[in-house]
Amino acid sequence: MLTYTIKRIGLAVLILFLVMLAMYAMVFVVPGDPAAVALGPRATPALKAELITRMGLDQPLYAQVWNFFRNAATGDLGFDVWSKRPVLSMILEVFPNTLILGAVALGVALVLGVSLGCLSVIWRGSLIDRVLAILSVSMISVPSFVIAIYGLLIFSVWLGWLPAIGAGEKGDLGSQARAVILPAFAVGISWVGYLARLVRASMLEVMGANHIRTARAFGLPEGRIVARYALRIAIIPTIAILAVGFGSILSSAVFVETVFSRPGIGSLITQAVAKRNYPLVMGTVLFMTAFYLVVVTAADLLIARLDPRVRDVYRS
Amino acid sequence: MTAPVPLLSVENLTITYASDAGPVQALRAAHLTARAGEVIGIVGESGCGKSTLASALINLLAANARVTSGAVRLRGQDILTLPEDAKRAIRGRHIAMVFQDPMTSFNPVLPLGAQLTDFQHHLPQTRAEKRTRARAMLARVGIPDPDLVLTRFIHELSGGMRQRAAIAAALLMTPDVLVADEPTTALDVTMEAQIIHLLRALRADHQGTILIVTHHLGVIGELCDRVYVMYAGQVVEEATVDDLYHAPRHPYTRALIACDPAHLETHTPVLPTIPGHLPDLTAPPPGCSFANRCPLVTSRCHTAPPPWVRLSDTQAALCHEVAP
C-alpha cells in the first residue's frame, strides 16, 4: 500500500508540473503583449514599461519559467492586474462557494444516483426499472446550463421559491442553503442519471458472481451480503468515475455560476478571461488542476484501499 | 419396525428452468438416499442435471428454476418448502458446499479470515473465537501457515491452497451433508491427487455424509461408496463403486465406463466417445432418453418410459432391457 501511495502521489506531482509547463507555453505563444492587453489601447509606453518590469516580462524566458515555478511552489500565484491583490487570496476567497456547490452537487448525485441504481436492481426488468432507464438517459443528455436556466425560470421567477442569484447572506446558513439548491441540482442532475446506470450495471454484475452464491450458500443474511460483500466491489467503478467526473463538475460550475451570478471559481475565471487578466487566469487554472489532481489521487488511494487487486498491480 | 430415516433423501425431484424455447426439464424425478458416514458420487456428463441437483441440495436454485414436484429431505424434513429464514438456517450449518472454482467462489476484496469468520455467523461465539476456529480448520486441511493465510486475499493463494481453503470453509460448521461440486476440476493432476488424499483423510472422521458431484470417474473410484449415474436429468443407475466398475448394468453406464481413458485395454489413437447427443430437454422423448444412442434399443424404448428395475439391494437401473 505504501509503494502504491508514493507512486500515485509522485504521478500527481509530475502531471501538475507538466500542466504548468504547458500552460506557460500556451500563454507565451498567444500573440500580443500581455502588458498592452492588460492596460488597454490608451496606455502610455511608460506605464507599459513599468508593468512589464513588475511582471518580470523583461527577463529571459528560462528566468521567467523558473520564477513562475518557484513562486507557485511557495503559493505565490502573482497579482491581479486590475486590483493588484494577490491571486491566491482572491481564489481562496471564492473557492469555498465552488467547493460547497461541487460537494452538494456530488452529494445529490451520489444519494439519488446510487439509490435509483439499487432500486433498478431490486426491481430489475419491471416497469420501474424501464422508467428509471428512460429518466436516467434524459438526465444524462440535458446540459447543465439548460437545467440551470429552466430551474431559474420555474423555481425563482414563476414560483419564487428559491433565490435567483448570489450565494446567500454571509453567516446566514439558511439563505446559503437555499441559494445552493438550484445550482447544485443543475450541476448534479446529469450525474444522477450516469450513476444510476453505472451502479445498476455493476451491482447486477457483482450479485451474479460466484462468491455471492458462496455467501448465500453459507446462509449469510441478504442485507449483509449486499452491504459487505457486493457494494464494496460494485462501488469501485462509481468512485473512479466520480473522481474523473469531478473535473466536469468543476467545468459545469463555470456555466452555472455565471447563470446564477454566484461568486466562485467559475465566475472568477470567466471574468478573468473576458478581461485578459493573465495572472488570474493562470492562477485559477493552476489551482483547479491541483485540486482536481488531489481528488483523483485520493480516489485512486481509496479504490486501492477497497480492492487489494489494484494495489498488487503496482507491487513487484 | 420401520426402516430408519436416512440422513438425506431426494424424492421424485423434478426441476424446470424457464427459457425462451419453453421450460427446460433439468431434473426429472431424480432420487437418491444417503446415510450418515456414506460418501456418495453423482456422475454424469455436462448437462445431465447434476449441478441443478447440487443447487437444490443447498437450496440455492437459480431465479428461473421451478420445483414442479418432489422433495429434498434432511432427516425426513422437506427443506424445499421451508420459509426463507429456515432455509437460510440450514445452509452452511447443516448442508455446506465446496464450490467448483475456489478462485471465483471467495470474495476478492475481503481477506480470507474475514470470510471464514462470517461463514460461522450461525454460532454465538465472538469473532476472535471464530477466527481461532477458522485457523484450526485451515491447519486441519493441511495449510502450512494458517495465520498468514487468514490475512491473505484469495488471488494471493495458489490453486491447491484455494481448494483447501474452500474445503476448510465448508467444514467449519461440521455440516451433516457436505456437497462437493467438481472438487478437483480446477486443479492440475498433482494437486488433484493431493486434494483426493485430503478428502479421503477427512471422510474418515466426518460424521455426516459427503456427496461428490463430478464427471470424473477416477475421483468417484477413489472416494465414494455408492454412485448415482445421471443422464438427461434422470438417475439412470444406482450402484456401489465396485459394481459401477465391474458390473455396470445400464447401457449408458457401460458406455461411460468404456469411454474412461483409465479403462482402455487396447492401444488407440482416438479416445472412444458415445455416439449421438443428449435429447432436447425442452421436449424429452416419451420413451427412454438414452434410446437414440443405445446399442440395446428396441421399439418399446422409443414409446414407453423405462421402469426403475431393482437388481439387488444396492443396484438398480432405469432401463427396459435389464433384468434382475
Side-chain angles (χ1 to χ4, degrees):
Chain A
M1 188 73 196
L2 188 67
T3 334
Y4 182 77
T5 310
I6 293 169
K7 283 189 174 160
R8 292 310 302 180
I9 292 175
L11 191 63
V13 170
L14 179 71
I15 292 172
L16 190 62
F17 178 81
L18 291 175
V19 168
M20 284 167 77
L21 215 57
M23 205 163 64
Y24 206 89
M26 273 189 272
V27 173
F28 201 79
V29 297
V30 169
D33 178 357
V37 173
L39 293 172
R42 280 177 295 173
T44 62
L47 265 175
K48 271 199 237 169
E50 193 255 312
L51 186 63
I52 283 174
T53 322
R54 189 152 55 84
M55 290 166 73
L57 295 175
D58 52 346
Q59 293 173 19
L61 180 60
Y62 68 86
Q64 290 185 33
V65 174
W66 168 247
N67 281 339
F68 178 55
F69 275 103
R70 198 187 51 194
N71 291 340
T74 59
D76 177 6
L77 296 178
F79 290 87
D80 179 13
V81 178
W82 305 98
S83 66
K84 313 273 192 291
R85 293 178 54 210
V87 168
L88 187 64
S89 67
M90 290 177 73
I91 292 173
L92 289 180
E93 192 174 286
V94 293
F95 183 61
N97 282 324
T98 306
L99 196 62
I100 289 170
L101 173 64
V104 174
L106 214 61
V108 167
L110 254 181
V111 171
L112 287 180
V114 172
S115 36
L116 290 184
C118 288
L119 283 185
S120 309
V121 172
I122 294 168
W123 288 308
R124 61 178 164 273
S126 72
L127 188 65
I128 294 174
D129 186 17
R130 267 171 279 168
V131 170
L132 284 179
I134 295 169
L135 217 62
S136 306
V137 176
S138 336
M139 287 193 277
I140 296 168
S141 24
V142 182
S144 57
F145 55 87
V146 172
I147 301 206
I149 290 169
Y150 278 94
L152 204 62
L153 193 64
I154 296 170
F155 293 101
S156 306
V157 179
W158 291 351
L159 298 172
W161 289 351
L162 297 165
I165 56 165
E169 305 291 320
K170 269 212 165 58
D172 179 358
L173 275 180
S175 90
Q176 284 178 4
R178 276 159 50 83
V180 86
I181 293 176
L182 273 182
F185 265 88
V187 175
I189 204 97
S190 64
W191 283 90
V192 173
Y194 243 130
L195 290 184
R197 299 312 290 163
L198 188 69
V199 166
R200 179 184 186 275
S202 40
M203 208 56 184
L204 276 182
E205 192 189 325
V206 175
M207 288 308 282
N210 278 341
H211 57 86
I212 296 297
R213 182 179 142 102
T214 308
R216 288 195 179 127
F218 281 98
L220 284 172
E222 197 67 16
R224 177 122 57 112
I225 293 176
V226 170
R228 189 166 150 88
Y229 284 74
L231 201 57
R232 216 180 139 95
I233 299 174
I235 205 77
I236 287 171
T238 308
I239 295 172
I241 289 287
L242 267 187
V244 177
F246 203 77
S248 88
I249 284 189
L250 287 182
S251 37
S252 23
V254 172
F255 291 112
V256 170
E257 284 173 353
T258 309
V259 172
F260 290 95
S261 309
R262 191 184 151 85
I265 291 270
S267 38
L268 189 68
I269 201 169
T270 318
Q271 289 155 20
V273 169
K275 293 181 179 174
R276 310 281 191 283
N277 195 340
Y278 283 108
L280 194 54
V281 172
M282 284 175 74
T284 320
V285 170
L286 186 59
F287 187 85
M288 301 257 273
T289 309
F291 184 75
Y292 176 58
L293 282 172
V294 168
V295 171
V296 170
T297 309
D300 278 351
L301 294 178
L302 180 62
I303 289 171
R305 183 92 204 86
L306 288 173
D307 190 343
R309 292 167 296 182
V310 172
R311 51 184 192 258
D312 283 359
V313 172
Y314 284 78
R315 209 175 268 175
S316 77
Chain B
M1 208 180 118
T2 54
V5 176
L7 180 58
L8 180 79
S9 66
V10 174
E11 294 162 7
N12 192 30
L13 187 63
T14 300
I15 292 175
T16 59
Y17 288 107
S19 84
D20 293 339
V24 177
Q25 305 191 17
L27 275 189
R28 287 182 287 151
H31 56 92
L32 62 82
T33 51
R35 288 173 287 273
E38 267 189 325
V39 178
I40 305 286
I42 299 169
V43 70
E45 61 193 296
S46 308
C48 70
K50 54 189 197 299
S51 294
T52 302
L53 182 58
S55 304
L57 289 176
I58 55 159
N59 240 318
L60 267 186
L61 287 163
N64 62 345
R66 209 163 68 81
V67 178
T68 47
S69 73
V72 174
R73 293 185 193 280
L74 182 69
R75 293 208 172 83
Q77 186 191 28
D78 184 6
I79 59 172
L80 291 180
T81 54
L82 291 174
E84 192 52 40
D85 276 356
K87 282 183 183 174
R88 223 163 45 68
I90 290 175
R91 289 206 286 264
R93 178 171 211 165
H94 298 293
I95 302 180
M97 185 134 182
V98 180
F99 285 98
Q100 194 166 15
D101 178 9
M103 176 67 189
T104 59
S105 54
F106 278 104
N107 188 289
V109 303
L110 286 174
L112 218 51
Q115 299 182 55
L116 293 180
T117 319
D118 273 358
F119 293 165
Q120 302 172 58
H121 66 103
H122 295 295
L123 297 177
Q125 279 106 319
T126 64
R127 286 192 79 82
E129 286 166 338
K130 290 178 184 174
R131 208 177 161 85
T132 313
R133 203 182 145 97
R135 189 197 168 285
M137 192 53 82
L138 288 177
R140 249 304 280 299
V141 298
I143 286 178
D145 192 348
D147 282 312
L148 184 71
V149 167
L150 283 178
T151 64
R152 298 282 89 164
F153 297 95
I154 193 67
H155 71 279
E156 298 174 322
L157 302 180
S158 69
M161 287 297 143
R162 283 175 198 147
Q163 190 65 61
R164 282 169 198 270
I167 292 169
L171 289 175
L172 272 174
M173 300 297 298
T174 53
D176 300 318
V177 178
L178 180 67
V179 184
D181 186 8
E182 304 279 4
T184 62
T185 305
L187 302 172
D188 61 49
V189 184
T190 337
M191 283 302 156
E192 181 171 18
Q194 288 185 20
I195 293 299
I196 287 175
H197 276 292
L198 172 65
L199 287 171
R200 281 173 83 150
L202 291 170
R203 68 160 286 186
D205 46 31
H206 185 68
Q207 300 302 312
T209 182
I210 303 178
L211 276 99
I212 294 178
V213 179
T214 185
H215 64 267
H216 189 335
L217 285 168
V219 173
I220 298 279
E222 291 284 341
L223 290 170
C224 300
D225 302 314
R226 293 194 302 119
V227 184
Y228 289 86
V229 180
M230 293 190 65
Y231 182 77
Q234 293 173 310
V235 172
V236 294
E237 181 159 5
E238 170 198 336
T240 62
V241 166
D242 278 350
D243 287 341
L244 180 82
Y245 282 105
H246 303 297
R249 299 296 299 272
H250 194 282
Y252 174 67
T253 317
R254 291 183 179 184
L256 205 60
I257 299 287
C259 288
D260 185 10
H263 287 79
L264 292 180
E265 278 161 12
T266 50
H267 208 74
T268 165
V270 261
L271 289 171
T273 53
I274 306 175
H277 45 78
L278 279 167
D280 177 8
L281 291 180
T282 53
C288 173
S289 299
F290 192 60
N292 60 354
R293 303 169 84 177
C294 184
L296 308 178
V297 63
T298 62
S299 58
R300 65 176 169 173
C301 297
H302 288 295
T303 51
W308 180 247
V309 183
R310 178 60 54 193
L311 299 161
S312 73
D313 281 351
T314 54
Q315 195 166 16
L318 189 72
C319 184
H320 285 296
E321 298 302 314
V322 294

